[in-house]
Amino acid sequence: MPLNYLGLQPQIQQYAQNANQSQAHFRQVLENARELFKTCASQPYDEIRKRCQGSGKRCALPLGEAFDQSYPPPAEHQPCMVLAADGSQIISSPHDAIPISLINTSLICMNTGSSDAPQISITSEILSEDRGGIEFNLLSEDLISLRRDVAELRILNDWTAPNDLPVAALRDGPLELYHEPRQGDQFEREFKNYIDGLAALAARDFTLAGYIDRTRAGLLGQMLAIYFEERSDGLAELRDTTLLAGILPAGQRSAIFALQSSSSDNYPEALRIHFFYLNVSTNDNDYIVRVEIPAWVAEDTDKVNRLHALLLAQCRIMGGRPYPYLLHRAHETAVVHFDEKAQLQDALAQELQRQGLDVPQPSNKLAAKGLQKRTRM
Amino acid sequence: MANDPQVNVQVGRLLRANTRACVAGCLPSQNFPPFGSLVSIDLGQEISAYGLVSDIHIDDDGLVRQLVTTPNISETVIQDNRVNRNVPVELSVLFVGHRSAGVISHRLPPRPPLSLDRVRACGEGDVCAFTSAGSLGYLRFILEAQDLPAADLLAAHLLQAGRAQRDHGDEQWFARAIDKVITQLRDDYVRLMPVLEALADVQRELGI
Amino acid sequence: MSEPLHQNESIGIVTSGGLKENLHVRLNGTPQQVQEGSFIVIDSQDWKFYGIATDLQLQSIDPRYALEPSRARLPEELAGLLDRQTLYTNLVVLPALMLERGPEPDSADYSAWRRAIDSGDKEEPRPMPVKSIPAHHADAFLAGAGDVAEIFGKPEDESNFVIGYTREQDHPVCVNLDKLIQRSSGIFGATGSGKSFLTRMLLAGLIDHNRASVLVYDMHNEYGLDDTASDTGENVRGLRSGFGASKVQVVGLGGSATIRGSAPDFNLVLGYSDILPEDVELLTRELNLKETTATVLDALVQSLGKDKWFKAFKAMKRGATETTDGDKKVPAPDSVAFWANQNGVNVMAAEGLHDKLRRLFNKPYIVENPPADSIQALVEALKKGKHIVLSFGDYESDLDYLLVSNLLTRRIRAEWEQMTNEFRGKNGSEPRPLVIVVEEAHKLLNREMAAQTTFSTIAREMRKYYVTLLVIDQRPSQIYDEVMSQLGTRVCGWLGDEDDIHAVLSGLAGREALRGMLSRLQAKEEVLLLGWGVPMPILVHSRRYDELFWQDIKTSKKAGFDQAKVIKNLYGD
């Protein structure tokens, strides 16, 4: 029996009891937050920005748009090229016979003005440390993730435009790297690569966006908490999507905010991360997502409008569970399955053998896990 | 199916097989062979297995199930799913005979094909050669097959073969085939009559 | 399959059956290619089986195929293909004969088989009654001319007489006249079934064949002289007209008899002395005689003599009396009562008999002193090879017929018996066979009479004394079954009455199968040949009795039988 259900039972009851108690408090906080949000919107935005910047905390910074308003999508949506990039990785494990790491990046490109099937390209790359030596090839998960982010930008940059249509490029997840630069040359080098990637996309005038489907961010609550310091009880923990639910009608976006974070200063001005919220639902069941955009997009109304319309169109394709279709396809194309990992390991083992090298065995723990279940006669 | 009906064209590759049947996969975007048509699979050592496309199976997945709920699916999304996505059309093939060292036999192939073996649609010449060999004994595989729409499979096959035979000058082949079917099923009135009704449509279509 | 069958084309294959339950042949084509009564040949390895089609049955491999017309659900061509495999006709064949035909002539075994026969180690194969059956899937054929000839003989053989033709293919079917006269035979058929024409034709054949003398009791004056057909009004040639008086003589009953206005070759007149008591006793029913008749007759013969009783009894007076001295009335000496009293016979019985015999006493053809012994003349003519048609002229009553035919037959048989005994005692030549043709045979051969008449004796004796019967009747059920069972050859036209059909088929194998066939014969066209005299039962289109027939009779034996010519004459091109 995998779980001790008997022992869990009192804990389950306690969990529901706690949730019930916090619910009442939460409603109070939300009511307060919405009132403050409205009040705040009527305050001078410079003052708000000033206070927030002064705090140094991770929060939203209002720009020119009235942030208690919502913004409908443009009436017309011109054809464009939409790119979606996603990556997946194999993280090396010390238990593997050959502990390799791999990044698999996919790009899918759709011309919204055409009925042709989208084009797909995939780039697969085995990662290795400079030192070489297969069995020591253990890269940290963070570094691999960072390299994957870089690779995603690279595959977007490598794409050659077949026409003059404007290009929108989507990524799954935030544009802001939360794999912050840590110590070590590799991190710094990869971060620089990332910034360079962004700059290159900016140079190609792509409408770049990061799509965060289920954001837990409380950037607006934090902004309110900073501004209304004396009435900040619970505001910092309030999710933006909760705050905006009921304020942001289906299909409309919020005002655009700049993102203030600890890493903001590491991004050149033109590449600074901005964001808006978008209700991608088509009915009363609000589904609010966060869209991160670099400054060069945030400052260009056409690009913002194109992005707004495009994201809604992409989400509509997926019907009742709105999510950008191309992002799903990019993910589907990029994802590496377990058996594919096994095949890759087999191919590596064969090549090692062919070159006269010893093929290491997997760990006993991994071998035990791999024991087959019951087999058929 | 091949544009040139005389030529055998690769339509897919083998996914799985047993001694009686196999399943081949092909891209949805391909012109895969129609239901009931004759295909061949080269088994090596001068042996080819012959089979009829007895089922065409198009799998769904989560994404497709989600997409069908949307009111308007753009053509590009449809094409993406057909061309790019890794969901092959599965062709079930019922073995009906084999060719060994140039001799066609209406018995099961000596061994099933192996994974990823090429599956080819038979051209008219091959269809005529196979269906003219022997005395139509292979029809028993269709009529005895369980869990298959035997009447429609037979009708679809006889349409293809009847047309090929007619175009190659044998207008009596279709009548002989029906005679054989009646012989095989005449003790089973309930099964035979619907089969013949299906074949009546084929006869009208063939105009013979 | 609607196109005509070729002679050697199989009509189907044997699928089941046996000796007891007949053979079943699954037909290849439609039922109409074969008819009831068809002569069927089945080839099974080295044997040929011959039989007659007795039934046709519609069959299907599943009743549902038969219940629902396939054309209602399927196009014509598909329906045809389906019907061909699921619906079929079962031909029921009554097997009769089998013949070993040996291995194929071009096979290695054939020469050995032939050598064995030629050297006498093995008998020459001949048709024999079926003792086995053909194998499964043996091919069945409609009999070809060769098959018919193999079984029923070749038309050109002298003893063979073409009585008709096979139903579908008009192959001539013969009866062997030599065999026919070896036993008594019969021709049956309901009124209007063509019995008279058939009889004329067969008699013409017998007379032409001339191996036996023929005596015809022509009750209705049909056979001797030309007649007019009752249905068509056409002239029908009589036997005497056909063969001439040198061969056939017509005898008229009575001294001044004319037949249809023509004078007969001679007249038959009976003398009183010819009438014997047994001749009277045979008339018991006809004259409604009492049980005392035999006693009275016996007393008459005893008191008056065998030759004279009839004359004396006729002369006695009925009721004559005379008055005695005492004025008492007593029977007169010439009265019946007087004779009765004198001879101890019951007066009333004697007077009753006298009353009833008065019908005989008054017959003009019975006279005291006939000008010649015409009976003897008739017998002599028969002995010399003449053929006699005894026409009853105006004496067409049953009484005349019974009295004369019995009386004559008794005399004839006695004569032939004597001749036979002399021949067997090496004192004489072999008697010429005689066929007595009896019309309305049931009047003479019914259950009551059969024990007494000479006819039944003749039937039972077969050809012991060189005399056989040819009985002609429309009610065979009335004929005593012991007599019926003795009839060797039976030629039967249409019969409607179940009892008659039963009677005709008595003593034959396959009665049940033949029964329906008899009731469905085409009147005047078809007859069924049955019995010992024919190798197997067969249904034939009877030959037409017309001028062409007579031409053929006159020419066939001399010029050889030309089958094609006859067919052409009969049926045209």
Side-chain angles (χ1 to χ4, degrees):
Chain A
M1 194 161 65
L3 289 176
N4 179 358
Y5 287 106
L6 207 59
L8 278 174
Q9 196 56 32
Q11 298 176 56
I12 290 169
Q13 287 167 356
Q14 186 62 49
Y15 179 88
Q17 214 169 342
N18 292 346
N20 195 21
Q21 284 170 1
S22 61
Q23 196 72 25
H25 174 66
F26 172 76
R27 274 196 292 274
Q28 211 172 0
V29 170
L30 180 59
E31 206 174 314
N32 179 39
R34 284 189 174 151
E35 191 186 322
L36 292 178
F37 189 63
K38 200 158 188 167
T39 309
C40 188
S42 61
Q43 302 300 312
Y45 286 8
D46 287 347
E47 181 59 24
I48 300 170
R49 274 200 297 274
K50 193 173 158 190
R51 287 196 197 177
C52 289
Q53 284 166 341
S55 75
K57 291 182 177 170
R58 181 177 171 82
C59 66
L61 296 176
L63 297 176
E65 292 175 327
F67 61 76
D68 62 340
Q69 302 292 308
S70 62
Y71 297 88
E76 285 189 15
H77 169 211
Q78 296 299 317
C80 65
M81 301 299 287
V82 186
L83 308 182
D86 199 4
S88 69
Q89 66 268 20
I90 297 174
I91 308 290
S92 58
S93 161
H95 296 289
D96 289 338
I98 304 169
I100 51 134
S101 301
L102 175 136
I103 292 173
N104 200 49
T105 324
S106 75
L107 175 78
I108 181 162
C109 164
M110 177 194 273
N111 180 344
T112 61
S114 159
S115 60
D116 291 345
Q119 301 292 313
I120 293 175
S121 63
I122 298 173
T123 304
S124 305
E125 182 190 2
I126 295 175
L127 304 180
S128 61
E129 281 188 300
D130 291 342
R131 285 177 297 179
I134 297 284
E135 62 261 54
F136 303 109
N137 196 4
L138 292 170
L139 295 173
S140 79
E141 195 169 339
D142 275 348
L143 183 58
I144 292 170
S145 297
L146 178 57
R147 288 181 70 167
R148 192 188 85 172
D149 290 332
V150 172
E152 288 179 19
L153 293 191
R154 191 184 307 130
I155 201 167
L156 286 172
N157 271 314
D158 289 347
W159 177 75
T160 309
N163 51 40
D164 295 335
L165 290 175
V167 179
L170 306 178
R171 281 192 61 208
D172 184 41
L175 290 181
E176 184 198 20
L177 287 179
Y178 54 87
H179 321 286
E180 298 171 25
R182 300 181 185 178
Q183 281 80 14
D185 294 343
Q186 284 189 15
F187 280 98
E188 284 173 16
R189 191 169 62 229
E190 294 304 335
F191 183 74
K192 183 176 178 306
N193 287 340
Y194 186 73
I195 296 297
D196 289 348
L198 285 179
L201 291 173
R204 294 180 71 178
D205 205 24
F206 281 17
T207 305
L208 179 67
Y211 185 91
I212 303 116
D213 182 57
R214 177 162 284 188
T215 174
R216 300 168 60 88
L219 298 170
L220 298 179
Q222 189 62 258
M223 177 185 78
L224 294 178
I226 293 166
Y227 190 75
F228 299 105
E229 199 175 354
E230 68 283 10
R231 295 163 66 183
S232 63
D233 181 31
L235 287 176
E237 288 81 40
L238 186 67
R239 290 184 193 175
D240 293 345
T241 51
T242 310
L243 178 64
L244 292 174
I247 296 175
L248 212 52
Q252 299 200 9
R253 69 167 173 84
S254 70
I256 297 171
F257 300 89
L259 174 65
Q260 174 172 286
S261 74
S262 58
S263 64
S264 298
D265 291 341
N266 296 327
Y267 292 81
E269 194 66 33
L271 308 183
R272 288 269 173 97
I273 307 301
H274 293 63
F275 68 91
F276 60 83
Y277 286 94
L278 176 65
N279 186 350
V280 293
S281 171
T282 53
N283 50 39
D284 293 341
N285 297 325
D286 293 336
Y287 197 89
I288 295 169
V289 300
R290 187 155 68 93
V291 180
E292 287 191 353
I293 47 178
W296 86 83
V297 175
E299 290 159 2
D300 184 333
T301 310
D302 283 348
K303 286 192 176 67
V304 170
N305 281 341
R306 179 181 306 129
L307 185 61
H308 185 172
L310 176 73
L311 286 174
L312 288 180
Q314 284 287 310
C315 287
R316 298 289 178 270
I317 295 174
M318 296 293 275
R321 304 294 297 267
Y323 182 80
Y325 173 75
L326 275 193
L327 277 181
H328 171 77
R329 292 285 292 115
H331 168 76
E332 191 180 63
T333 312
V335 71
V336 180
H337 296 283
F338 180 80
D339 52 350
E340 288 165 332
K341 178 184 173 185
Q343 277 179 21
L344 174 64
Q345 293 222 322
D346 287 347
L348 279 168
Q350 283 172 16
E351 185 59 25
L352 288 175
Q353 214 160 26
R354 202 178 62 78
Q355 296 190 17
L357 298 170
D358 287 339
V359 179
Q361 294 296 313
S363 73
N364 290 348
K365 176 184 174 182
L366 187 64
K369 275 185 176 177
L371 287 178
Q372 282 191 325
K373 293 180 180 175
R374 286 180 188 171
T375 55
R376 215 160 47 124
M377 227 177 76
Chain B
M1 199 163 52
N3 291 331
D4 180 353
Q6 301 294 332
V7 178
N8 296 356
V9 173
Q10 179 180 333
V11 291
R13 286 184 180 272
L14 191 101
L15 295 173
R16 54 190 177 273
N18 62 27
T19 49
R20 284 169 287 114
C22 71
V23 177
C26 66
L27 278 175
S29 57
Q30 267 181 299
N31 283 326
F32 44 83
F35 176 66
S37 61
L38 192 69
V39 297
S40 70
I41 305 167
D42 186 3
L43 307 182
Q45 297 176 319
E46 289 192 87
I47 300 172
S48 298
Y50 284 99
L52 297 178
V53 176
S54 58
D55 194 12
I56 300 173
H57 193 84
I58 296 163
D59 257 329
D60 66 346
D61 65 358
L63 175 60
V64 174
R65 275 198 294 274
Q66 190 168 334
L67 289 176
V68 296
T69 62
T70 63
N72 299 309
I73 306 175
S74 69
E75 185 59 30
T76 185
V77 172
I78 292 171
Q79 288 303 319
D80 180 39
N81 276 273
R82 290 181 182 172
V83 176
N84 294 329
R85 299 194 68 236
N86 189 24
V87 185
V89 171
E90 290 191 357
L91 302 179
S92 294
V93 174
L94 178 73
F95 292 137
V96 291
H98 68 278
R99 184 201 291 265
S100 180
V103 179
I104 290 173
S105 158
H106 290 171
R107 291 180 290 111
L108 289 174
R111 64 168 178 80
L114 302 175
S115 300
L116 300 180
D117 272 347
R118 286 189 176 87
V119 178
R120 298 176 188 278
C122 290
E124 280 193 349
D126 222 10
V127 170
C128 285
F130 180 80
T131 55
S132 298
S135 57
L136 295 157
Y138 72 96
L139 294 178
R140 73 179 184 278
F141 293 114
I142 306 172
L143 299 172
E144 291 169 3
Q146 302 292 316
D147 304 325
L148 284 180
D152 290 278
L153 177 57
L154 190 67
H157 165 62
L158 293 191
L159 178 63
Q160 184 203 28
R163 189 175 281 148
Q165 292 283 4
R166 181 198 61 194
D167 294 348
H168 281 68
D170 188 352
E171 293 216 339
Q172 294 306 308
W173 184 89
F174 184 70
R176 289 201 301 278
I178 290 186
D179 220 28
K180 187 77 175 183
V181 170
I182 294 170
T183 305
Q184 301 248 355
L185 284 186
R186 64 189 175 195
D187 291 331
D188 192 343
Y189 177 86
V190 174
R191 279 187 69 205
L192 175 58
M193 291 310 286
V195 168
L196 287 181
E197 282 171 337
L199 297 186
D201 288 343
V202 175
Q203 190 194 27
R204 276 190 284 275
E205 207 165 324
L206 287 174
I208 52 176
Chain C
M1 197 159 47
S2 57
E3 65 270 22
L5 286 166
H6 300 297
Q7 185 139 322
N8 290 324
E9 193 174 336
S10 165
I11 56 169
I13 55 167
V14 173
T15 54
S16 64
L19 288 172
K20 288 181 184 168
E21 52 173 314
N22 297 333
L23 297 172
H24 291 182
V25 173
R26 180 178 169 156
L27 290 184
N28 295 332
T30 59
Q32 293 82 29
Q33 65 182 304
V34 187
Q35 294 179 18
E36 187 182 38
S38 292
F39 184 15
I40 304 295
V41 182
I42 297 168
D43 265 345
S44 182
Q45 285 103 35
D46 296 349
W47 290 83
K48 266 189 170 186
F49 291 81
Y50 301 92
I52 186 166
T54 58
D55 197 6
L56 287 153
Q57 299 161 341
L58 295 177
Q59 300 278 355
S60 61
I61 60 170
D62 185 312
R64 285 172 290 189
Y65 291 116
L67 289 173
E68 187 186 15
S70 52
R71 277 162 183 76
R73 287 178 70 170
L74 299 171
E76 189 77 13
E77 194 179 335
L78 254 68
L81 290 170
L82 177 64
D83 291 350
R84 199 162 58 79
Q85 288 205 42
T86 55
L87 307 178
Y88 60 95
T89 306
N90 222 10
L91 174 71
V92 182
V93 176
L94 171 67
L97 300 172
M98 56 194 278
L99 170 67
E100 187 182 4
R101 60 170 195 175
E104 291 297 325
D106 52 355
S107 70
D109 295 339
Y110 180 79
S111 49
W113 180 78
R114 194 66 242 174
R115 263 198 312 278
I117 294 169
D118 294 341
S119 65
D121 292 344
K122 181 178 173 65
E123 275 189 45
E124 178 76 35
R126 55 187 170 77
M128 62 173 104
V130 281
K131 292 179 172 56
S132 183
I133 52 171
H136 270 107
H137 304 162
D139 278 311
F141 305 86
L142 284 174
D147 296 312
V148 179
E150 178 76 47
I151 301 302
F152 292 94
K154 296 173 183 165
E156 55 269 29
D157 284 357
E158 200 182 340
S159 57
N160 287 338
F161 172 71
V162 176
I163 192 166
Y165 302 88
T166 56
R167 205 176 212 181
E168 285 86 9
Q169 292 171 308
D170 289 324
H171 301 310
V173 177
C174 302
V175 287
N176 185 314
L177 296 175
D178 288 342
K179 201 168 181 184
L180 182 82
I181 61 174
Q182 283 181 22
R183 291 191 188 187
S184 293
S185 46
I187 296 175
F188 304 104
T191 308
S193 63
K195 202 164 61 253
S196 300
F197 286 98
L198 193 63
T199 308
R200 280 190 191 97
M201 192 168 63
L202 197 56
L203 290 178
L206 281 170
I207 292 167
D208 183 52
H209 185 49
N210 206 23
R211 290 289 168 82
S213 295
V214 173
L215 167 62
V216 184
Y217 292 129
D218 189 4
M219 186 178 178
H220 304 299
N221 311 316
E222 293 175 302
Y223 300 110
L225 303 174
D226 288 0
D227 195 3
T228 304
S230 57
D231 48 357
T232 62
E234 289 178 9
N235 183 57
V236 181
R237 186 180 283 227
L239 296 172
R240 183 172 173 279
S241 317
F243 288 104
S246 61
K247 277 192 169 180
V248 178
Q249 294 195 324
V250 172
V251 177
L253 182 61
S256 57
T258 56
I259 312 301
R260 303 186 191 287
S262 306
D265 294 310
F266 63 91
N267 295 93
L268 177 68
V269 180
L270 307 180
Y272 288 167
S273 58
D274 292 326
I275 312 293
L276 297 184
E278 48 261 48
D279 296 325
V280 174
E281 281 180 60
L282 280 172
L283 303 172
T284 300
R285 189 165 66 169
E286 192 59 35
L287 296 176
N288 195 20
L289 301 178
K290 303 288 186 199
E291 290 166 357
T292 53
T293 300
T295 313
V296 178
L297 285 172
D298 188 49
L300 283 167
V301 170
Q302 291 297 324
S303 65
L304 303 170
K306 198 173 182 180
D307 297 340
K308 297 193 173 77
W309 74 271
F310 188 80
K311 179 187 169 190
F313 195 43
K314 184 185 175 189
M316 290 178 197
K317 292 186 175 126
R318 169 80 164 86
T321 56
E322 60 183 16
T323 307
T324 59
D325 295 342
D327 209 18
K328 189 180 174 186
K329 277 190 178 177
V330 293
D334 58 349
S335 70
V336 175
F338 183 86
W339 171 84
N341 288 332
Q342 291 291 310
N343 291 279
V345 174
N346 182 288
V347 174
M348 284 179 69
E351 287 183 334
L353 179 63
H354 193 271
D355 288 346
K356 288 180 175 168
L357 289 186
R358 195 165 296 136
R359 286 177 65 196
L360 284 188
F361 300 149
N362 298 333
K363 287 292 177 193
Y365 56 80
I366 305 174
V367 297
E368 183 175 2
N369 297 307
D373 187 349
S374 52
I375 294 179
Q376 193 55 40
L378 190 148
V379 169
E380 289 303 322
L382 290 172
K383 281 160 91 177
K384 286 177 185 160
K386 294 265 172 78
H387 307 280
I388 303 289
V389 177
L390 172 57
S391 285
F392 281 72
D394 297 331
Y395 307 108
E396 284 191 69
S397 73
D398 286 357
L399 180 66
D400 302 317
Y401 187 60
L402 293 178
L403 176 71
V404 175
S405 61
N406 258 306
L407 193 150
L408 261 181
T409 307
R410 179 163 46 75
R411 285 283 294 273
I412 288 166
R413 185 188 166 278
E415 191 79 27
W416 254 258
E417 186 176 348
Q418 187 187 343
M419 286 194 292
T420 305
N421 289 335
E422 285 170 7
F423 168 62
R424 299 219 166 109
K426 314 283 188 199
N427 295 324
S429 56
E430 186 174 13
R432 177 174 166 83
L434 172 66
V435 176
I436 298 176
V437 182
V438 189
E439 273 206 301
E440 308 267 8
H442 68 274
K443 291 180 176 164
L444 297 159
L445 290 165
N446 58 49
R447 177 176 276 274
E448 292 163 15
M449 308 266 288
Q452 307 167 46
T453 63
T454 315
F455 293 107
S456 59
T457 313
I458 294 171
R460 277 198 302 274
E461 289 169 345
M462 296 196 277
R463 59 177 309 226
K464 184 175 174 186
Y465 297 111
Y466 292 83
V467 182
T468 54
L469 298 179
L470 174 59
V471 301
I472 300 159
D473 208 301
Q474 58 190 13
R475 294 306 309 275
S477 59
Q478 305 290 312
I479 297 175
Y480 187 37
D481 47 11
E482 271 196 24
V483 175
M484 277 302 289
S485 64
Q486 298 299 328
L487 299 182
T489 307
R490 301 171 205 184
V491 181
C492 193
W494 180 80
L495 283 172
D497 187 88
E498 270 298 309
D499 291 341
D500 289 335
I501 292 173
H502 182 81
V504 166
L505 298 176
S506 65
L508 297 178
R511 281 190 299 281
E512 289 307 313
L514 298 169
R515 181 187 300 273
M517 207 183 299
L518 263 181
S519 64
R520 285 187 289 273
L521 286 178
Q522 200 177 342
K524 298 188 180 172
E525 297 282 339
E526 295 172 337
V527 292
L528 191 63
L529 305 182
L530 302 156
W532 171 85
V534 286
M536 57 178 273
I538 188 164
L539 189 153
V540 296
H541 259 300
S542 53
R543 202 168 163 184
R544 298 273 291 274
Y545 182 80
D546 52 15
E547 282 307 306
L548 288 170
F549 170 82
W550 279 105
Q551 284 175 25
D552 185 56
I553 285 284
K554 286 172 184 168
T555 58
S556 62
K557 295 297 189 284
K558 294 166 193 151
F561 186 80
D562 185 346
Q563 178 192 330
K565 186 179 163 198
V566 171
I567 291 175
K568 189 178 175 187
N569 288 340
L570 287 173
Y571 300 104
D573 287 319

